[in-house]
Amino acid sequence: SLNEAVDLMRGKKDSPIMITISREGIDPFEIKIIRDIIKIQSVKSDIFNDIGYLRITSFTEQTESGLIKSIKKIKEKLNDKEIGYILDLRNNPGGVLGSAVGVSDLFLQEGKIVYTKGRTTNSQLEYFATPQDILDGLPLLIMVNEGSASASEIVAGALQDNKRATIVGEKSYGKASVQTIQELNDGSALKLTTARYYTPSGRDIHTKGISPDILLKGNDDKDEEDKVSLPEPYDKDKQLFDAIAIIKGMSMSSMLNIAH
């Protein structure tokens, strides 16, 4: 089983292990790899013209700091002349509640982020933003789809209700439960749902999901004709292509308003 394979591969850092690789069409062969500590980078970034692109794959304890570093890197490369940002939460299953609160807080000057309610008093919590906006009010799009759940929906719901970001894509999954792990006497553990979270306006999105402000359909297939004018590996991502066009339109509209 997978768990048995993992147990066999684990060991001390810097110790060697021989792995046999089996691939279709060739004989099995062995390679030696060195064990190391795996550090998962949950934030990836890129730049499309003057637009900063930020993708969060999951919400961990390092996500907030990783996001700050990525934004600083984009600002340095564009000499603080970026016209907007895209925060991609598609297929992000969630993660740590505190991480979602911290990420939301980066983009808000004030207001409620999320609150939880359960049967007990200690499960009723409220989280509020502190006076900051790392993007200084620049346009922000958040991309979601049916694979965006839990912590992803906290961020999308908080920024949507506070009118700080435009949500684009497809309706999210709809998981608004807060779960606690209770360790048992025999060493096993029980994951117990202890509360539900609600968006700042009081929306219970459990099973309902976050509905986007702008619906963006993705590609139905992967034919060559579906390619868009973005560099690889984004050349099949029609939703991202459309989101970039929306950001450009928002920036142009803002410039026209300033001119008038």
Side-chain angles (χ1 to χ4, degrees):
S1 70
L2 177 60
N3 287 336
E4 290 171 333
V6 170
D7 288 339
L8 289 170
M9 288 187 287
R10 279 181 173 155
K12 291 183 178 180
K13 183 178 181 296
D14 296 326
S15 63
I17 178 174
M18 297 298 297
I19 303 290
T20 302
I21 308 295
S22 179
R23 293 176 181 163
E24 187 176 355
I26 62 174
D27 294 331
F29 61 95
E30 290 187 339
I31 59 171
K32 184 172 76 171
I33 59 177
I34 305 299
R35 295 182 176 94
D36 203 346
I37 297 172
I38 299 173
K39 297 179 180 179
I40 299 175
Q41 300 293 331
S42 63
V43 181
K44 301 176 181 178
S45 64
D46 213 320
I47 296 173
F48 302 109
N49 296 325
D50 295 327
I51 299 166
Y53 173 75
L54 304 158
R55 174 165 173 75
I56 299 178
T57 56
S58 63
F59 285 88
T60 70
E61 287 82 359
Q62 291 79 37
T63 299
E64 184 180 350
S65 60
L67 195 62
I68 292 171
K69 290 178 182 177
S70 295
I71 291 172
K72 286 182 177 178
K73 184 172 67 174
I74 291 172
K75 285 180 173 291
E76 288 174 1
K77 286 187 176 180
L78 294 178
N79 197 25
D80 289 326
K81 293 181 180 178
E82 66 272 29
I83 63 174
Y85 284 82
I86 295 171
L87 179 61
D88 193 347
L89 301 180
R90 290 175 298 173
N91 298 315
N92 181 324
V96 181
L97 172 63
S99 176
V101 171
V103 167
S104 301
D105 191 18
L106 290 177
F107 306 108
L108 292 171
Q109 290 277 9
E110 60 182 3
K112 187 181 291 185
I113 293 174
V114 68
Y115 66 95
T116 64
K117 288 196 302 183
R119 291 182 177 180
T120 60
T121 304
N122 60 5
S123 65
Q124 299 178 18
L125 302 169
E126 293 182 311
Y127 299 88
F128 292 89
T130 56
Q132 64 175 324
D133 181 354
I134 195 170
L135 303 186
D136 297 319
L138 285 172
L140 175 64
L141 290 188
I142 296 181
M143 303 184 72
V144 297
N145 65 3
E146 66 279 359
S148 308
S150 190
S152 297
E153 295 172 302
I154 289 176
V155 175
L159 299 183
Q160 186 180 48
D161 281 4
N162 283 287
K163 302 188 186 307
R164 177 59 187 92
T166 301
I167 312 301
V168 302
E170 299 171 281
K171 189 171 74 170
S172 64
Y173 180 79
K175 181 181 181 294
S177 59
V178 179
Q179 295 176 315
T180 304
I181 296 177
Q182 300 286 341
E183 188 174 351
L184 304 179
N185 292 333
D186 62 358
S188 61
L190 174 69
K191 184 181 285 187
L192 185 67
T193 299
T194 55
R196 279 192 180 178
Y197 69 77
Y198 298 82
T199 71
S201 65
R203 285 185 292 164
D204 179 4
I205 63 164
H206 198 66
T207 72
K208 303 180 184 72
I210 297 285
S211 295
D213 300 305
I214 301 173
L215 180 65
L216 296 180
K217 287 288 187 181
N219 291 352
D220 292 329
D221 51 50
K222 299 299 180 183
D223 291 338
E224 286 295 316
E225 62 188 32
D226 288 325
K227 282 191 174 183
V228 294
S229 53
L230 286 174
E232 292 184 0
Y234 309 104
D235 55 341
K236 292 289 188 74
D237 196 340
K238 186 178 182 300
Q239 286 180 318
L240 177 57
F241 181 76
D242 291 339
I244 291 171
I246 292 170
I247 278 277
K248 288 181 178 178
M250 293 170 67
S251 176
M252 185 63 67
S253 175
S254 177
M255 291 174 63
L256 290 173
N257 288 335
I258 292 173
H260 285 90

